[in-house]
């Protein structure tokens, strides 16, 4: 028959057990107030929708938003705590109604897996990209801070767009690349805020066919390589620290206006 539904308008708390409590395949869970005080709470239900949430995750605990499955999210999400709200596998679909994430500090951790459209994900807090991740046909509007660490690439395609808005900071603290790997329409990075390379003595690269508009660019260390072939960069205010490099072509062909 019809799969079960858990509508949470009150408080769902995981208060014991160092392992994992799971909402499994096809179990719908609406967000509400969720506390993970110990262990992991996994929202793994395939083909189900979560609608908003206020998440409290204690130090050492994890709220896993996908559990290796595919779950759709819509609505507004925020939280507190020293733990992790994590996408570490599977697919987090942003529904057509869109999602707003407003997580502080290191709370939201995207270490692996895929974020996929058709909706728009608006970030007004801090998103932490910590591994090899994939942006598939999704528009990410950043009005807060995105920190990009680790050696993993940001893989994108199928018309993926990152809009770093006027109040946004996209901070690359690594030597990884934005790569067009999925197919379809090549990805675009529209920078109206600040794109900063603040970590890594090597090279952060916008790869082949990845469009990057200039905006405010700060290269504090290493090299930022705008190598995307056959793409156009539109204006820019560039700050490059001593010993650092902003490479405008990276050996490819890029148009500037």
């Amino acid at each position: 028959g019809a799969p079960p539904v858990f509508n949470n308008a009150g408080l769902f708390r995981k208060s014991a057990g160092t392992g994992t409590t799971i909402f499994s395949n096809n179990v719908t869970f609406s967000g509400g107030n969720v506390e993970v005080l110990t262990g992991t709470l996994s929202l793994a239900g395939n083909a189900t929708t979560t609608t908003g949430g206020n998440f409290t995750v204690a130090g050492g605990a994890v709220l896993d938003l996908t559990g290796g499955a595919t779950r759709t999210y819509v609505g507004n999400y925020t939280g507190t705590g020293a733990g992790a709200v994590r996408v570490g596998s599977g697919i987090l679909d942003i529904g057509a109604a869109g999602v707003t994430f407003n997580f502080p500090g290191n709370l939201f951790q995207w270490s692996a897996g895929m974020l996929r459209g058709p909706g728009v994900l608006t970030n007004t807090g801090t998103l932490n990209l910590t591994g090899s991740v994939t942006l598939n046909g999704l528009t990410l509007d950043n009005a807060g801070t995105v920190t990009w660490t680790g050696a993993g690439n940001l893989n994108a395609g199928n018309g993926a767009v990152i809009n770093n808005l006027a109040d946004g900071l996209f901070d690359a603290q690594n030597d990884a690349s934005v790569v067009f790997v999925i197919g379809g329409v090549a990805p675009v990075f529209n920078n109206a805020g600040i794109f900063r390379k603040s970590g890594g003595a090597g090279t952060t690269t916008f790869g082949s066919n990845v469009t990057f508009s200039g905006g405010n660019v700060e290269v504090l260390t290493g090299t930022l390589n705008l190598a995307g072939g056959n793409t156009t960069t539109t204006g820019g205010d560039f700050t490059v620290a001593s010993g650092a490099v902003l490479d405008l072509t990276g050996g490819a062909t890029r148009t500037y206006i």
Side-chain angles (χ1 to χ4, degrees):
V5 175
F6 191 106
N7 295 314
N8 181 36
L11 175 61
F12 183 92
R13 176 182 293 151
K14 177 174 168 62
S15 61
T18 57
T20 303
T21 298
I22 301 173
F23 281 84
S24 60
N25 277 354
N26 299 313
V27 180
T28 297
F29 179 86
S30 67
N33 294 288
V34 177
E35 294 181 359
V36 188
L37 305 183
T38 180
T40 297
L41 175 62
S42 176
L43 305 182
N46 273 312
T48 63
T49 300
T50 296
T51 53
N54 187 349
F55 303 146
T56 300
V57 187
V62 174
L63 174 57
D64 189 336
L65 296 183
T66 59
T70 299
R71 181 179 283 271
T72 300
Y73 283 77
V74 295
N76 299 315
Y77 298 84
T78 188
T80 58
V85 176
R86 183 178 68 195
V87 178
S89 59
I91 300 173
L92 193 155
D93 275 337
I94 304 297
V99 163
T100 297
F101 281 171
N102 184 15
F103 294 109
N106 294 317
L107 184 59
F108 182 86
Q109 300 285 334
W110 183 19
S111 60
M114 178 183 294
L115 265 62
R116 184 170 67 181
V120 175
L121 170 59
T122 301
N123 173 50
T124 58
T126 300
L127 300 184
N128 298 282
L129 281 57
T130 62
S132 180
V133 298
T134 301
L135 200 66
N136 186 357
L138 175 71
T139 296
L140 169 60
D141 286 346
N142 178 44
T145 299
V146 176
T147 63
W148 182 21
T149 61
N153 289 334
L154 174 55
N155 306 300
N158 280 336
V161 176
I162 298 175
N163 294 314
N164 195 39
L165 303 178
D167 293 333
L169 169 63
F170 198 106
D171 189 5
Q173 302 174 9
N174 59 8
D175 296 326
S177 300
V178 181
V179 186
F180 176 32
V181 296
I182 298 173
V185 178
V188 174
F189 192 107
N190 296 313
N191 182 38
I194 298 174
F195 183 92
R196 176 183 295 154
K197 177 173 168 62
S198 65
T203 302
T204 297
T205 303
F206 281 83
S208 180
N209 297 314
V210 180
T211 297
F212 179 86
S213 66
N216 294 287
V217 177
E218 299 178 0
V219 188
L220 306 184
T221 181
T223 298
L224 175 61
N225 186 349
L226 305 182
N230 302 313
T231 63
T232 300
T233 295
T234 53
D237 186 344
F238 302 147
T239 301
V240 185
S242 176
V245 174
L246 174 58
D247 189 334
L248 298 182
T249 59
T253 299
R254 180 179 283 271
T255 300
Y256 283 78
I257 57 175

